[in-house]
Amino acid sequence: CIFSLFKCNIKMKSSVSHFNHLEKTMNSTAAGITLIRVSLGIMWIAHALLKLFVFSLAGTAAYFESIGFVGELAYPVFAAELIGGILLVLGVYARQVSLLLIPVMMVAAWVHLPNGWTHTSTNGGWEYPVFLIFASLAVWLMEDGLLTLKKSKLLTFSNQA
């Protein structure tokens, strides 16, 4: 009788230990996802602010025209990158936001494709835009992480959102 109680206690401790490990793993996974989401948001914000403070929005519009786009397109692209980055940092529908930003960077990658791989190439290469595409895709595929204001519910693969 005492032996079976001892065995039951060992099983309970084992289950508690497994649960604690699972809880720590889930928390570290959520923390990692949060780090990726916030870092990606900061990168999108930096990409937008580059247009504002380094090239100027008028200069960005002139560049867009020089490559065959309507110059005024620079303004909604800037807004999408800045607002999208802020929403990613705040965790507001982060998965949908990251998905919606992908076409913006796909066009940037296409524009920079002839310049070579590294973004430090003359006129910038496609390395940085392609990285942002895949990082945005990864955020869309993962959960929202921690510190979110509005959890993602639509256009996701998981029922846990």
Side-chain angles (χ1 to χ4, degrees):
C1 188
I2 294 174
F3 180 69
S4 68
L5 182 62
F6 179 71
K7 233 170 117 177
C8 181
N9 192 19
I10 290 173
K11 283 183 182 176
M12 285 179 58
K13 282 185 179 181
S14 174
S15 296
V16 170
S17 174
H18 177 70
F19 177 76
N20 287 340
H21 173 71
L22 182 62
E23 185 178 26
K24 287 178 185 176
T25 302
M26 287 173 43
N27 287 340
S28 65
T29 300
I33 291 169
T34 305
L35 182 61
I36 290 170
R37 187 195 80 227
V38 170
S39 299
L40 179 63
I42 290 168
M43 293 306 295
W44 277 105
I45 292 168
H47 200 77
L49 295 179
L50 183 70
K51 289 174 177 59
L52 180 65
F53 294 121
V54 176
F55 303 122
S56 81
L57 291 179
T60 302
Y63 174 71
F64 276 35
E65 286 176 356
S66 77
I67 58 172
F69 292 107
V70 176
E72 289 77 19
L73 190 59
Y75 300 95
V77 166
F78 164 77
E81 291 175 354
L82 182 64
I83 294 167
I86 291 168
L87 293 174
L88 283 169
V89 169
L90 296 175
V92 177
Y93 302 117
R95 296 173 75 186
Q96 289 83 12
V97 168
S98 66
L99 184 64
L100 292 172
L101 287 170
I102 289 173
V104 173
M105 214 35 67
M106 288 177 77
V107 172
W110 173 73
V111 165
H112 291 286
L113 190 63
N115 303 335
W117 179 64
T118 61
H119 207 63
T120 56
S121 301
T122 305
N123 297 322
W126 53 267
E127 163 194 21
Y128 179 68
V130 169
F131 175 77
L132 287 180
I133 290 167
F134 282 101
S136 294
L137 184 61
V139 167
W140 173 63
L141 291 170
M142 295 185 286
E143 298 297 324
D144 289 293
L146 306 170
L147 307 171
T148 60
L149 295 180
K150 288 281 189 179
K151 292 278 188 188
S152 299
K153 293 181 182 170
L154 300 173
L155 301 173
T156 63
F157 287 114
S158 173
N159 293 330
Q160 297 174 355

